[in-house]
Amino acid sequence: MEGENDKKQEKGVDVDVEAMLKEANEKAKAEVAHKEDANDYSRFDDISSDSDDEISDSDGSGEKISVDERLIRAESCKSSGNSSFKEKENQEALKMYNKGLDFLKPLEKMKVPNILEGHATKRNELFSSLILNKVAVLNREEKWKESIESSNNAIQFLRENDNPKQLVKALFRRGVAYKSKGDLEESKKDLVELLKLDPKK
């Protein structure tokens, strides 16, 4: 009898342990499910699930690149492009400016809170520099049509983001392209507008 009671007691302990393990397992699963739900931004219309996380590369490679890494790579492309521009290596400069713009493309339409304010500021600075430097190369290469197209993109972006200083540069470079292309009326419009923005010019 004593041995049988020991077995029952032992069995009772085993049952309790199993129940505790089962309960702990269920709690762990519930916590994981809750964590996954907390990171599901699809419930909110104004928040992207890519919000400030990794975003697939725009070249179709599917590589996941974080916002920080995109900004770092775009900055590196700008620096390389500037070095090539100084050496009058126009094609290499153009290639690097385009590559930098490609890194920024997925961030182009993102606004706070989908992107941190500091990231948005840096993105705007880089985009402005890269596209205006691209226009400078295209003007040097006398590719007026491409220059005007890129200038149009720059001007639209700079108006939307209220950057009058860079807007003056964009208008001047597009005005030069229009003039060189023989479109004096459009060139005059750009020059008149930039003088209104910055009379010292």
Side-chain angles (χ1 to χ4, degrees):
M1 289 288 290
E2 191 176 328
E4 195 175 326
N5 285 337
D6 286 344
K7 281 182 183 177
K8 280 184 182 176
Q9 188 178 0
E10 190 178 317
K11 189 176 179 184
V13 170
D14 286 344
V15 170
D16 287 345
V17 170
E18 282 178 19
M20 288 171 64
L21 286 171
K22 187 176 178 182
E23 188 182 343
N25 192 27
E26 284 172 2
K27 279 185 181 177
K29 282 181 182 176
E31 283 176 10
V32 168
H34 176 73
K35 188 175 179 183
E36 285 173 354
D37 287 343
N39 290 327
D40 180 13
Y41 297 108
S42 61
R43 295 169 293 156
F44 306 100
D45 291 336
D46 61 338
I47 300 181
S48 163
S49 60
D50 285 329
S51 176
D52 227 21
D53 286 329
E54 295 179 338
I55 303 170
S56 294
D57 203 356
S58 56
D59 64 3
S61 67
E63 182 186 2
K64 295 282 189 178
I65 308 173
S66 69
V67 174
D68 277 323
E69 185 61 25
R70 284 183 178 281
L71 295 172
I72 289 166
R73 293 189 192 187
E75 181 74 56
S76 176
C77 289
K78 183 185 101 169
S79 180
S80 296
N82 289 350
S83 297
S84 296
F85 186 81
K86 285 175 186 173
E87 297 297 320
K88 293 187 169 53
E89 296 169 355
N90 297 337
Q91 291 309 307
E92 185 60 25
L94 193 59
K95 177 182 165 186
M96 295 314 297
Y97 294 144
N98 280 329
K99 191 173 179 182
L101 289 166
D102 284 343
F103 282 122
L104 297 180
K105 195 168 183 62
L107 314 181
E108 196 174 330
K109 301 294 181 186
M110 290 177 74
K111 297 185 183 298
V112 176
N114 291 4
I115 185 171
L116 294 176
E117 193 169 343
H119 286 162
T121 301
K122 186 63 178 174
R123 172 207 59 195
N124 292 354
E125 289 173 2
L126 281 169
F127 182 84
S128 301
S129 295
L130 285 162
I131 200 160
L132 288 174
N133 290 355
K134 176 182 176 177
V135 170
V137 175
L138 292 169
N139 278 359
R140 184 190 272 178
E141 290 278 287
E142 300 183 1
K143 294 181 177 177
W144 310 122
K145 185 180 176 183
E146 291 175 49
S147 173
I148 291 165
E149 286 172 1
S150 290
S151 295
N152 290 343
N153 292 336
I155 288 165
Q156 181 184 345
F157 180 85
L158 294 166
R159 287 194 205 283
E160 288 172 0
N161 290 279
D162 192 27
N163 191 335
K165 185 178 177 184
Q166 293 289 68
L167 182 56
V168 165
K169 280 186 185 178
L171 288 165
F172 177 77
R173 289 176 188 175
R174 187 174 71 174
V176 168
Y178 272 134
K179 180 177 179 294
S180 301
K181 191 171 172 280
D183 196 338
L184 300 182
E185 193 59 37
E186 290 299 325
S187 177
K188 182 181 175 182
K189 285 180 189 175
D190 281 347
L191 296 177
V192 167
E193 184 178 352
L194 78 83
L195 285 170
K196 284 179 184 175
L197 289 168
D198 189 353
K200 293 176 183 177
K201 294 284 183 187

mmCIF file of all heavy atoms in Angstrom, residues 85 90-91 94 131-132 134-153 155 170-184 186-187 190:
data_model
loop_
_atom_site.group_PDB
_atom_site.id
_atom_site.type_symbol
_atom_site.label_atom_id
_atom_site.label_comp_id
_atom_site.label_asym_id
_atom_site.label_seq_id
_atom_site.Cartn_x
_atom_site.Cartn_y
_atom_site.Cartn_z
ATOM 1 N N PHE A 85 33.216 64.412 -60.524
ATOM 2 C CA PHE A 85 32.843 65.672 -61.176
ATOM 3 C C PHE A 85 34.031 66.637 -61.214
ATOM 4 O O PHE A 85 34.290 67.283 -62.228
ATOM 5 C CB PHE A 85 31.664 66.303 -60.434
ATOM 6 C CG PHE A 85 31.109 67.537 -61.098
ATOM 7 C CD1 PHE A 85 30.230 67.431 -62.169
ATOM 8 C CD2 PHE A 85 31.459 68.807 -60.649
ATOM 9 C CE1 PHE A 85 29.712 68.573 -62.786
ATOM 10 C CE2 PHE A 85 30.950 69.943 -61.247
ATOM 11 C CZ PHE A 85 30.070 69.823 -62.323
ATOM 12 N N ASN A 90 32.662 62.877 -66.160
ATOM 13 C CA ASN A 90 31.229 63.147 -66.125
ATOM 14 C C ASN A 90 30.360 61.894 -66.048
ATOM 15 O O ASN A 90 29.380 61.862 -65.299
ATOM 16 C CB ASN A 90 30.817 63.978 -67.347
ATOM 17 C CG ASN A 90 31.491 65.345 -67.349
ATOM 18 O OD1 ASN A 90 31.903 65.837 -66.300
ATOM 19 N ND2 ASN A 90 31.618 65.946 -68.514
ATOM 20 N N GLN A 91 30.700 60.883 -66.830
ATOM 21 C CA GLN A 91 29.874 59.669 -66.854
ATOM 22 C C GLN A 91 29.909 58.939 -65.505
ATOM 23 O O GLN A 91 28.889 58.430 -65.038
ATOM 24 C CB GLN A 91 30.329 58.732 -67.983
ATOM 25 C CG GLN A 91 30.044 59.267 -69.383
ATOM 26 C CD GLN A 91 28.590 59.704 -69.553
ATOM 27 O OE1 GLN A 91 27.664 58.936 -69.267
ATOM 28 N NE2 GLN A 91 28.385 60.922 -70.004
ATOM 29 N N LEU A 94 27.834 60.967 -63.070
ATOM 30 C CA LEU A 94 26.412 60.761 -63.337
ATOM 31 C C LEU A 94 25.940 59.408 -62.804
ATOM 32 O O LEU A 94 24.870 59.298 -62.192
ATOM 33 C CB LEU A 94 26.169 60.849 -64.847
ATOM 34 C CG LEU A 94 24.718 60.960 -65.316
ATOM 35 C CD1 LEU A 94 24.037 62.193 -64.745
ATOM 36 C CD2 LEU A 94 24.661 60.976 -66.841
ATOM 37 N N ILE A 131 20.337 65.334 -56.951
ATOM 38 C CA ILE A 131 19.645 65.657 -58.201
ATOM 39 C C ILE A 131 20.167 66.951 -58.822
ATOM 40 O O ILE A 131 20.280 67.068 -60.045
ATOM 41 C CB ILE A 131 18.106 65.681 -58.017
ATOM 42 C CG1 ILE A 131 17.426 65.526 -59.389
ATOM 43 C CG2 ILE A 131 17.639 66.908 -57.270
ATOM 44 C CD1 ILE A 131 15.992 65.071 -59.331
ATOM 45 N N LEU A 132 20.532 67.928 -57.975
ATOM 46 C CA LEU A 132 21.095 69.170 -58.519
ATOM 47 C C LEU A 132 22.490 68.941 -59.104
ATOM 48 O O LEU A 132 22.852 69.539 -60.115
ATOM 49 C CB LEU A 132 21.130 70.254 -57.439
ATOM 50 C CG LEU A 132 19.760 70.841 -57.061
ATOM 51 C CD1 LEU A 132 19.889 71.794 -55.890
ATOM 52 C CD2 LEU A 132 19.112 71.541 -58.243
ATOM 53 N N LYS A 134 23.412 66.112 -60.387
ATOM 54 C CA LYS A 134 23.121 65.395 -61.639
ATOM 55 C C LYS A 134 22.813 66.388 -62.762
ATOM 56 O O LYS A 134 23.307 66.247 -63.888
ATOM 57 C CB LYS A 134 21.935 64.450 -61.422
ATOM 58 C CG LYS A 134 21.479 63.732 -62.678
ATOM 59 C CD LYS A 134 20.275 62.839 -62.412
ATOM 60 C CE LYS A 134 19.775 62.204 -63.697
ATOM 61 N NZ LYS A 134 18.654 61.271 -63.469
ATOM 62 N N VAL A 135 21.999 67.401 -62.450
ATOM 63 C CA VAL A 135 21.656 68.436 -63.438
ATOM 64 C C VAL A 135 22.919 69.174 -63.897
ATOM 65 O O VAL A 135 23.083 69.466 -65.090
ATOM 66 C CB VAL A 135 20.617 69.426 -62.860
ATOM 67 C CG1 VAL A 135 20.443 70.635 -63.772
ATOM 68 C CG2 VAL A 135 19.279 68.729 -62.657
ATOM 69 N N ALA A 136 23.828 69.453 -62.956
ATOM 70 C CA ALA A 136 25.084 70.136 -63.305
ATOM 71 C C ALA A 136 25.894 69.309 -64.302
ATOM 72 O O ALA A 136 26.468 69.846 -65.258
ATOM 73 C CB ALA A 136 25.900 70.404 -62.041
ATOM 74 N N VAL A 137 25.937 67.990 -64.099
ATOM 75 C CA VAL A 137 26.647 67.100 -65.036
ATOM 76 C C VAL A 137 25.964 67.115 -66.394
ATOM 77 O O VAL A 137 26.627 67.223 -67.440
ATOM 78 C CB VAL A 137 26.702 65.639 -64.504
ATOM 79 C CG1 VAL A 137 27.337 64.721 -65.535
ATOM 80 C CG2 VAL A 137 27.487 65.564 -63.207
ATOM 81 N N LEU A 138 24.647 67.011 -66.405
ATOM 82 C CA LEU A 138 23.903 66.987 -67.675
ATOM 83 C C LEU A 138 24.085 68.291 -68.448
ATOM 84 O O LEU A 138 24.213 68.281 -69.677
ATOM 85 C CB LEU A 138 22.417 66.729 -67.404
ATOM 86 C CG LEU A 138 22.082 65.323 -66.879
ATOM 87 C CD1 LEU A 138 20.638 65.259 -66.397
ATOM 88 C CD2 LEU A 138 22.341 64.260 -67.942
ATOM 89 N N ASN A 139 24.140 69.415 -67.727
ATOM 90 C CA ASN A 139 24.394 70.695 -68.391
ATOM 91 C C ASN A 139 25.804 70.734 -68.965
ATOM 92 O O ASN A 139 26.023 71.225 -70.081
ATOM 93 C CB ASN A 139 24.197 71.855 -67.413
ATOM 94 C CG ASN A 139 22.737 72.252 -67.250
ATOM 95 O OD1 ASN A 139 21.853 71.678 -67.884
ATOM 96 N ND2 ASN A 139 22.467 73.221 -66.383
ATOM 97 N N ARG A 140 26.762 70.223 -68.207
ATOM 98 C CA ARG A 140 28.147 70.181 -68.692
ATOM 99 C C ARG A 140 28.248 69.319 -69.964
ATOM 100 O O ARG A 140 28.999 69.630 -70.880
ATOM 101 C CB ARG A 140 29.067 69.626 -67.605
ATOM 102 C CG ARG A 140 30.531 69.637 -68.004
ATOM 103 C CD ARG A 140 31.372 68.852 -66.999
ATOM 104 N NE ARG A 140 31.819 69.684 -65.902
ATOM 105 C CZ ARG A 140 32.538 69.241 -64.861
ATOM 106 N NH1 ARG A 140 32.852 67.963 -64.780
ATOM 107 N NH2 ARG A 140 32.919 70.059 -63.903
ATOM 108 N N GLU A 141 27.448 68.239 -69.978
ATOM 109 C CA GLU A 141 27.434 67.329 -71.137
ATOM 110 C C GLU A 141 26.525 67.838 -72.265
ATOM 111 O O GLU A 141 26.427 67.205 -73.307
ATOM 112 C CB GLU A 141 26.941 65.948 -70.694
ATOM 113 C CG GLU A 141 27.909 65.188 -69.817
ATOM 114 C CD GLU A 141 28.983 64.484 -70.620
ATOM 115 O OE1 GLU A 141 28.679 63.476 -71.265
ATOM 116 O OE2 GLU A 141 30.133 64.969 -70.591
ATOM 117 N N GLU A 142 25.877 68.969 -72.011
ATOM 118 C CA GLU A 142 24.954 69.579 -72.974
ATOM 119 C C GLU A 142 23.784 68.661 -73.332
ATOM 120 O O GLU A 142 23.271 68.667 -74.453
ATOM 121 C CB GLU A 142 25.708 70.034 -74.248
ATOM 122 C CG GLU A 142 26.778 71.061 -73.950
ATOM 123 C CD GLU A 142 27.483 71.585 -75.190
ATOM 124 O OE1 GLU A 142 27.121 71.166 -76.314
ATOM 125 O OE2 GLU A 142 28.391 72.414 -75.035
ATOM 126 N N LYS A 143 23.338 67.914 -72.337
ATOM 127 C CA LYS A 143 22.153 67.057 -72.501
ATOM 128 C C LYS A 143 20.959 67.839 -71.944
ATOM 129 O O LYS A 143 20.478 67.583 -70.846
ATOM 130 C CB LYS A 143 22.356 65.727 -71.778
ATOM 131 C CG LYS A 143 23.468 64.888 -72.402
ATOM 132 C CD LYS A 143 23.639 63.558 -71.687
ATOM 133 C CE LYS A 143 24.712 62.717 -72.372
ATOM 134 N NZ LYS A 143 24.971 61.437 -71.678
ATOM 135 N N TRP A 144 20.505 68.806 -72.740
ATOM 136 C CA TRP A 144 19.556 69.792 -72.251
ATOM 137 C C TRP A 144 18.188 69.193 -71.896
ATOM 138 O O TRP A 144 17.598 69.564 -70.877
ATOM 139 C CB TRP A 144 19.391 70.921 -73.283
ATOM 140 C CG TRP A 144 20.698 71.485 -73.749
ATOM 141 C CD1 TRP A 144 21.160 71.552 -75.036
ATOM 142 C CD2 TRP A 144 21.731 72.059 -72.936
ATOM 143 N NE1 TRP A 144 22.406 72.127 -75.082
ATOM 144 C CE2 TRP A 144 22.786 72.448 -73.797
ATOM 145 C CE3 TRP A 144 21.889 72.279 -71.572
ATOM 146 C CZ2 TRP A 144 23.952 73.045 -73.346
ATOM 147 C CZ3 TRP A 144 23.055 72.872 -71.112
ATOM 148 C CH2 TRP A 144 24.074 73.243 -71.988
ATOM 149 N N LYS A 145 17.700 68.297 -72.740
ATOM 150 C CA LYS A 145 16.387 67.705 -72.481
ATOM 151 C C LYS A 145 16.388 66.934 -71.159
ATOM 152 O O LYS A 145 15.474 67.092 -70.332
ATOM 153 C CB LYS A 145 15.997 66.773 -73.630
ATOM 154 C CG LYS A 145 14.596 66.215 -73.493
ATOM 155 C CD LYS A 145 14.243 65.286 -74.650
ATOM 156 C CE LYS A 145 12.865 64.674 -74.439
ATOM 157 N NZ LYS A 145 12.511 63.706 -75.488
ATOM 158 N N GLU A 146 17.407 66.096 -70.943
ATOM 159 C CA GLU A 146 17.522 65.322 -69.702
ATOM 160 C C GLU A 146 17.710 66.244 -68.502
ATOM 161 O O GLU A 146 17.172 65.998 -67.411
ATOM 162 C CB GLU A 146 18.689 64.335 -69.786
ATOM 163 C CG GLU A 146 18.462 63.195 -70.760
ATOM 164 C CD GLU A 146 19.695 62.315 -70.895
ATOM 165 O OE1 GLU A 146 20.247 61.916 -69.858
ATOM 166 O OE2 GLU A 146 20.113 62.034 -72.039
ATOM 167 N N SER A 147 18.465 67.308 -68.724
ATOM 168 C CA SER A 147 18.702 68.281 -67.648
ATOM 169 C C SER A 147 17.391 68.934 -67.210
ATOM 170 O O SER A 147 17.125 69.077 -66.013
ATOM 171 C CB SER A 147 19.686 69.356 -68.122
ATOM 172 O OG SER A 147 19.792 70.381 -67.162
ATOM 173 N N ILE A 148 16.577 69.316 -68.190
ATOM 174 C CA ILE A 148 15.288 69.959 -67.883
ATOM 175 C C ILE A 148 14.373 68.986 -67.142
ATOM 176 O O ILE A 148 13.713 69.353 -66.163
ATOM 177 C CB ILE A 148 14.625 70.494 -69.176
ATOM 178 C CG1 ILE A 148 15.447 71.689 -69.697
ATOM 179 C CG2 ILE A 148 13.168 70.890 -68.934
ATOM 180 C CD1 ILE A 148 15.133 72.093 -71.127
ATOM 181 N N GLU A 149 14.351 67.726 -67.575
ATOM 182 C CA GLU A 149 13.511 66.708 -66.912
ATOM 183 C C GLU A 149 13.929 66.513 -65.450
ATOM 184 O O GLU A 149 13.082 66.471 -64.546
ATOM 185 C CB GLU A 149 13.599 65.383 -67.665
ATOM 186 C CG GLU A 149 12.837 65.388 -68.983
ATOM 187 C CD GLU A 149 13.086 64.133 -69.817
ATOM 188 O OE1 GLU A 149 13.848 63.241 -69.356
ATOM 189 O OE2 GLU A 149 12.527 64.049 -70.922
ATOM 190 N N SER A 150 15.236 66.402 -65.226
ATOM 191 C CA SER A 150 15.730 66.234 -63.853
ATOM 192 C C SER A 150 15.487 67.491 -63.026
ATOM 193 O O SER A 150 15.155 67.417 -61.839
ATOM 194 C CB SER A 150 17.228 65.890 -63.865
ATOM 195 O OG SER A 150 17.431 64.592 -64.366
ATOM 196 N N SER A 151 15.643 68.645 -63.661
ATOM 197 C CA SER A 151 15.379 69.918 -62.970
ATOM 198 C C SER A 151 13.916 70.012 -62.560
ATOM 199 O O SER A 151 13.597 70.492 -61.458
ATOM 200 C CB SER A 151 15.725 71.106 -63.871
ATOM 201 O OG SER A 151 17.101 71.143 -64.138
ATOM 202 N N ASN A 152 13.019 69.549 -63.433
ATOM 203 C CA ASN A 152 11.588 69.558 -63.108
ATOM 204 C C ASN A 152 11.315 68.743 -61.846
ATOM 205 O O ASN A 152 10.557 69.169 -60.970
ATOM 206 C CB ASN A 152 10.765 68.992 -64.267
ATOM 207 C CG ASN A 152 10.744 69.918 -65.475
ATOM 208 O OD1 ASN A 152 11.054 71.103 -65.378
ATOM 209 N ND2 ASN A 152 10.393 69.380 -66.633
ATOM 210 N N ASN A 153 11.937 67.552 -61.751
ATOM 211 C CA ASN A 153 11.782 66.701 -60.565
ATOM 212 C C ASN A 153 12.316 67.402 -59.319
ATOM 213 O O ASN A 153 11.692 67.360 -58.254
ATOM 214 C CB ASN A 153 12.512 65.370 -60.757
ATOM 215 C CG ASN A 153 11.869 64.500 -61.817
ATOM 216 O OD1 ASN A 153 10.687 64.641 -62.115
ATOM 217 N ND2 ASN A 153 12.641 63.604 -62.389
ATOM 218 N N ILE A 155 12.737 70.663 -58.843
ATOM 219 C CA ILE A 155 11.930 71.845 -58.502
ATOM 220 C C ILE A 155 10.640 71.446 -57.798
ATOM 221 O O ILE A 155 10.245 72.062 -56.800
ATOM 222 C CB ILE A 155 11.656 72.681 -59.778
ATOM 223 C CG1 ILE A 155 12.979 73.379 -60.206
ATOM 224 C CG2 ILE A 155 10.542 73.701 -59.565
ATOM 225 C CD1 ILE A 155 12.973 73.938 -61.601
ATOM 226 N N ALA A 170 18.156 75.198 -58.611
ATOM 227 C CA ALA A 170 17.450 74.371 -59.599
ATOM 228 C C ALA A 170 16.880 75.234 -60.726
ATOM 229 O O ALA A 170 16.978 74.875 -61.909
ATOM 230 C CB ALA A 170 16.334 73.584 -58.910
ATOM 231 N N LEU A 171 16.297 76.363 -60.360
ATOM 232 C CA LEU A 171 15.737 77.264 -61.378
ATOM 233 C C LEU A 171 16.822 77.829 -62.283
ATOM 234 O O LEU A 171 16.641 77.940 -63.505
ATOM 235 C CB LEU A 171 14.981 78.421 -60.694
ATOM 236 C CG LEU A 171 13.643 78.064 -60.040
ATOM 237 C CD1 LEU A 171 13.185 79.181 -59.112
ATOM 238 C CD2 LEU A 171 12.585 77.766 -61.096
ATOM 239 N N PHE A 172 17.973 78.170 -61.690
ATOM 240 C CA PHE A 172 19.081 78.699 -62.485
ATOM 241 C C PHE A 172 19.584 77.646 -63.487
ATOM 242 O O PHE A 172 19.767 77.946 -64.670
ATOM 243 C CB PHE A 172 20.228 79.147 -61.573
ATOM 244 C CG PHE A 172 21.425 79.642 -62.343
ATOM 245 C CD1 PHE A 172 21.422 80.900 -62.927
ATOM 246 C CD2 PHE A 172 22.537 78.838 -62.504
ATOM 247 C CE1 PHE A 172 22.521 81.355 -63.653
ATOM 248 C CE2 PHE A 172 23.635 79.277 -63.226
ATOM 249 C CZ PHE A 172 23.633 80.539 -63.802
ATOM 250 N N ARG A 173 19.769 76.423 -62.997
ATOM 251 C CA ARG A 173 20.300 75.369 -63.875
ATOM 252 C C ARG A 173 19.303 74.991 -64.963
ATOM 253 O O ARG A 173 19.696 74.720 -66.103
ATOM 254 C CB ARG A 173 20.724 74.165 -63.041
ATOM 255 C CG ARG A 173 21.980 74.490 -62.237
ATOM 256 C CD ARG A 173 22.435 73.390 -61.308
ATOM 257 N NE ARG A 173 23.519 73.907 -60.467
ATOM 258 C CZ ARG A 173 24.103 73.258 -59.483
ATOM 259 N NH1 ARG A 173 23.710 72.026 -59.184
ATOM 260 N NH2 ARG A 173 25.061 73.811 -58.782
ATOM 261 N N ARG A 174 18.014 75.005 -64.623
ATOM 262 C CA ARG A 174 17.020 74.731 -65.668
ATOM 263 C C ARG A 174 16.953 75.899 -66.646
ATOM 264 O O ARG A 174 16.805 75.702 -67.860
ATOM 265 C CB ARG A 174 15.639 74.490 -65.051
ATOM 266 C CG ARG A 174 14.610 74.037 -66.092
ATOM 267 C CD ARG A 174 13.287 73.651 -65.471
ATOM 268 N NE ARG A 174 12.561 74.817 -64.960
ATOM 269 C CZ ARG A 174 11.324 74.759 -64.466
ATOM 270 N NH1 ARG A 174 10.687 73.582 -64.381
ATOM 271 N NH2 ARG A 174 10.721 75.842 -64.018
ATOM 272 N N GLY A 175 17.080 77.122 -66.125
ATOM 273 C CA GLY A 175 17.093 78.300 -67.000
ATOM 274 C C GLY A 175 18.231 78.244 -68.002
ATOM 275 O O GLY A 175 18.055 78.585 -69.180
ATOM 276 N N VAL A 176 19.411 77.801 -67.553
ATOM 277 C CA VAL A 176 20.572 77.645 -68.442
ATOM 278 C C VAL A 176 20.268 76.610 -69.523
ATOM 279 O O VAL A 176 20.575 76.809 -70.707
ATOM 280 C CB VAL A 176 21.824 77.227 -67.631
ATOM 281 C CG1 VAL A 176 22.953 76.777 -68.556
ATOM 282 C CG2 VAL A 176 22.283 78.378 -66.743
ATOM 283 N N ALA A 177 19.644 75.504 -69.110
ATOM 284 C CA ALA A 177 19.310 74.436 -70.069
ATOM 285 C C ALA A 177 18.293 74.929 -71.097
ATOM 286 O O ALA A 177 18.440 74.669 -72.306
ATOM 287 C CB ALA A 177 18.769 73.218 -69.327
ATOM 288 N N TYR A 178 17.279 75.644 -70.623
ATOM 289 C CA TYR A 178 16.277 76.183 -71.552
ATOM 290 C C TYR A 178 16.933 77.141 -72.555
ATOM 291 O O TYR A 178 16.655 77.094 -73.759
ATOM 292 C CB TYR A 178 15.180 76.933 -70.788
ATOM 293 C CG TYR A 178 14.031 76.074 -70.319
ATOM 294 C CD1 TYR A 178 13.548 76.186 -69.010
ATOM 295 C CD2 TYR A 178 13.394 75.176 -71.180
ATOM 296 C CE1 TYR A 178 12.471 75.411 -68.570
ATOM 297 C CE2 TYR A 178 12.324 74.404 -70.744
ATOM 298 C CZ TYR A 178 11.869 74.527 -69.447
ATOM 299 O OH TYR A 178 10.800 73.766 -69.021
ATOM 300 N N LYS A 179 17.776 78.029 -72.041
ATOM 301 C CA LYS A 179 18.453 79.011 -72.901
ATOM 302 C C LYS A 179 19.314 78.311 -73.951
ATOM 303 O O LYS A 179 19.283 78.650 -75.135
ATOM 304 C CB LYS A 179 19.307 79.948 -72.054
ATOM 305 C CG LYS A 179 20.057 81.017 -72.836
ATOM 306 C CD LYS A 179 20.819 81.935 -71.912
ATOM 307 C CE LYS A 179 21.588 82.989 -72.686
ATOM 308 N NZ LYS A 179 22.684 82.431 -73.510
ATOM 309 N N SER A 180 20.082 77.324 -73.510
ATOM 310 C CA SER A 180 20.974 76.606 -74.418
ATOM 311 C C SER A 180 20.184 75.796 -75.447
ATOM 312 O O SER A 180 20.661 75.559 -76.565
ATOM 313 C CB SER A 180 21.893 75.679 -73.632
ATOM 314 O OG SER A 180 22.659 76.423 -72.708
ATOM 315 N N LYS A 181 18.987 75.389 -75.074
ATOM 316 C CA LYS A 181 18.118 74.622 -75.975
ATOM 317 C C LYS A 181 17.385 75.547 -76.951
ATOM 318 O O LYS A 181 16.763 75.103 -77.913
ATOM 319 C CB LYS A 181 17.112 73.836 -75.125
ATOM 320 C CG LYS A 181 16.311 72.789 -75.850
ATOM 321 C CD LYS A 181 15.534 71.942 -74.831
ATOM 322 C CE LYS A 181 14.572 70.994 -75.513
ATOM 323 N NZ LYS A 181 13.331 71.641 -75.930
ATOM 324 N N GLY A 182 17.466 76.847 -76.669
ATOM 325 C CA GLY A 182 16.825 77.823 -77.550
ATOM 326 C C GLY A 182 15.445 78.263 -77.094
ATOM 327 O O GLY A 182 14.750 78.996 -77.797
ATOM 328 N N ASP A 183 15.031 77.824 -75.897
ATOM 329 C CA ASP A 183 13.718 78.189 -75.371
ATOM 330 C C ASP A 183 13.874 79.386 -74.429
ATOM 331 O O ASP A 183 13.879 79.247 -73.201
ATOM 332 C CB ASP A 183 13.103 76.987 -74.641
ATOM 333 C CG ASP A 183 11.606 77.151 -74.419
ATOM 334 O OD1 ASP A 183 11.132 78.301 -74.441
ATOM 335 O OD2 ASP A 183 10.923 76.132 -74.210
ATOM 336 N N LEU A 184 13.994 80.567 -75.030
ATOM 337 C CA LEU A 184 14.320 81.774 -74.268
ATOM 338 C C LEU A 184 13.183 82.213 -73.344
ATOM 339 O O LEU A 184 13.435 82.747 -72.258
ATOM 340 C CB LEU A 184 14.687 82.913 -75.219
ATOM 341 C CG LEU A 184 15.893 82.641 -76.137
ATOM 342 C CD1 LEU A 184 16.183 83.858 -77.003
ATOM 343 C CD2 LEU A 184 17.132 82.274 -75.320
ATOM 344 N N GLU A 186 10.964 80.310 -71.671
ATOM 345 C CA GLU A 186 10.977 79.493 -70.454
ATOM 346 C C GLU A 186 12.187 79.835 -69.577
ATOM 347 O O GLU A 186 12.098 79.857 -68.354
ATOM 348 C CB GLU A 186 10.994 77.993 -70.800
ATOM 349 C CG GLU A 186 9.693 77.481 -71.394
ATOM 350 C CD GLU A 186 8.515 77.636 -70.453
ATOM 351 O OE1 GLU A 186 8.680 77.495 -69.218
ATOM 352 O OE2 GLU A 186 7.408 77.910 -70.949
ATOM 353 N N SER A 187 13.309 80.099 -70.235
ATOM 354 C CA SER A 187 14.519 80.483 -69.501
ATOM 355 C C SER A 187 14.280 81.782 -68.731
ATOM 356 O O SER A 187 14.642 81.912 -67.556
ATOM 357 C CB SER A 187 15.680 80.667 -70.476
ATOM 358 O OG SER A 187 16.831 81.101 -69.783
ATOM 359 N N ASP A 190 12.197 81.255 -65.547
ATOM 360 C CA ASP A 190 12.978 80.704 -64.428
ATOM 361 C C ASP A 190 13.854 81.769 -63.786
ATOM 362 O O ASP A 190 13.959 81.853 -62.557
ATOM 363 C CB ASP A 190 13.847 79.533 -64.911
ATOM 364 C CG ASP A 190 13.053 78.246 -65.047
ATOM 365 O OD1 ASP A 190 11.912 78.184 -64.547
ATOM 366 O OD2 ASP A 190 13.568 77.286 -65.658
#
